[in-house]
Amino acid sequence: MKVYLDGKFVDAANAKISVFDHGLLYGDGIFEGIRLYQGNVFRLEEHLERLWFSAKAIMLTIPLSRAEMAAAVCEACRQNGLRDGYIRLVVTRGPGDLGLAPWLCTKASVIIIADKIALYPPELYATGLAVATVATRRMGAEAIPPGIKSLNYLNNVLAKIEARQAGAQEAVMLNSQGFVAECTADNVFIVRKDRIYTPAVQQGGLRGITRDTIFDIARGLGLPAEEHDLTRYDLWTADECFITGTGAEVIAVVKLDGREIGNGKPGPVTNRVLTEFRQRVLAEGTRI
Ligand code: PMP
């Protein structure tokens, strides 16, 4: 495997960065996860826009133009002979000293890994996930604005550990007010009486690019979809629930906190959305 590292393609074994990189020392950096479907990068411009917004928010200068980054992403796929896969784009603050000061870091590092990903076994897309609400609350905008897709994922990692401890495959994270924010790397949706609801990003979630795609799909299918505050009660008593993310794509949640959601099987709206999602990802994208 060839990894893009600061302008060069190097063997994965030689793709190394400094132990003084603040991405490692402080989680000071940003990233994107992007999908490649049949030689098309899905919503590349949207991912790059979000990356540039993350960079702006943390006052990080990305040492490439948007066009150069787009070209490097496509080249990383070609170098690895990929037609379908997952691209991890990372920009670290770069090497600095042992203090926190980001302005002493010399130059941001850009890493692009193009590989395969399978977050869940394929059967689970037919049967759905068991999920647990965890005690770890999603950090709010008063701490780290959740719109920043930063390298600091410890909040989410703690939630993921808790979900596993509870025997669940994913965690529902609430915000400090007790409203549903999101899962550890996915947005949450419910279906009630053929209407689709998801929390506003102000409740502590990332504005997922898959989430945006779901709104487009719902519009195309004539299904009403809107942002709404959601509590655990709303999830427990929903007709259907599903989660969305670049890695997970669209996957049903059939159990939450030991309660079956709906009849305990992926519901008809979820299945329609998933089918449409699978078609849409093949029909759009940037040709590598
Ligand atoms: N929330 C978090 C915290 C995430 O890390 C992700 C995955 N990037 C998402 C939601 C889903 O976003 P997207 O659909 O853009 O992958």
Side-chain angles (χ1 to χ4, degrees):
M1 194 209 301
K2 295 276 188 198
V3 174
Y4 175 98
L5 178 58
D6 294 332
K8 297 193 189 72
F9 283 93
V10 297
D11 287 333
N14 294 323
K16 294 175 181 165
I17 59 161
S18 166
V19 294
F20 292 97
D21 194 306
H22 280 207
L24 174 68
L25 290 177
Y26 294 114
D28 185 357
I30 54 177
F31 77 102
E32 281 296 320
I34 310 170
R35 280 261 186 183
L36 174 71
Y37 293 100
Q38 294 189 357
N40 295 317
V41 184
F42 187 65
R43 301 207 167 180
L44 177 58
E45 277 311 313
E46 287 84 342
H47 282 285
L48 293 183
E49 179 180 63
R50 190 169 67 184
L51 185 76
W52 255 261
F53 284 159
S54 294
K56 185 167 201 177
I58 71 163
M59 301 185 89
L60 172 70
T61 304
I62 299 176
L64 291 179
S65 69
R66 283 263 275 270
E68 287 168 336
M69 188 69 93
V73 166
C74 293
E75 183 59 25
C77 297
R78 289 194 297 268
Q79 288 270 335
N80 291 288
L82 281 179
R83 305 279 305 154
D84 293 274
Y86 177 86
I87 302 146
R88 176 55 61 89
L89 179 44
V90 182
V91 186
T92 72
R93 186 74 70 176
D97 64 19
L98 291 176
L100 204 66
W103 52 88
L104 298 178
C105 296
T106 45
K107 187 168 183 273
S109 267
V110 178
I111 300 162
I112 305 172
I113 306 167
D115 200 358
K116 296 274 180 193
I117 195 172
L119 281 193
Y120 299 113
E123 320 75 87
L124 278 184
Y125 288 84
T127 56
L129 297 177
V131 168
T133 313
V134 296
T136 301
R137 297 294 174 103
R138 187 76 182 98
M139 231 156 22
E142 71 282 11
I144 300 178
I148 303 174
K149 203 161 160 51
S150 85
L151 295 183
N152 198 318
Y153 258 52
L154 205 48
N155 183 219
N156 314 57
V157 169
L158 290 178
K160 191 86 184 173
I161 291 170
E162 271 188 80
R164 187 181 164 88
Q165 296 292 327
Q169 285 134 333
E170 186 46 82
V172 166
M173 300 183 77
L174 307 177
N175 65 17
S176 56
Q177 281 86 46
F179 289 107
V180 173
E182 60 176 349
C183 291
T184 62
D186 309 281
N187 295 109
V188 184
F189 290 78
I190 61 166
V191 179
R192 187 186 291 283
K193 300 196 192 322
D194 290 330
R195 301 179 80 88
I196 299 176
Y197 301 96
T198 193
V201 290
Q202 285 75 12
Q203 296 298 347
L206 181 73
R207 186 180 298 279
I209 286 163
T210 321
R211 178 185 184 276
D212 286 346
T213 309
I214 301 304
F215 279 107
D216 293 345
I217 287 173
R219 208 171 302 119
L221 293 175
L223 292 166
E226 60 187 275
E227 296 180 341
H228 205 285
D229 292 349
L230 299 176
T231 61
R232 299 168 79 195
Y233 168 87
D234 297 316
L235 271 53
W236 294 335
T237 60
D239 299 331
E240 304 178 30
C241 178
F242 61 90
I243 64 173
T244 70
T246 298
E249 301 177 295
V250 177
I251 188 161
V253 174
V254 294
K255 207 173 200 190
L256 174 63
D257 305 329
R259 286 114 170 134
E260 270 189 359
I261 296 179
N263 63 2
K265 297 200 171 62
V269 174
T270 304
N271 285 335
R272 274 178 81 190
V273 169
L274 174 58
T275 303
E276 182 64 25
F277 178 80
R278 292 208 189 288
Q279 286 168 8
R280 196 173 268 256
V281 294
L282 300 181
E284 50 174 282
T286 304
R287 199 92 203 121
I288 61 166

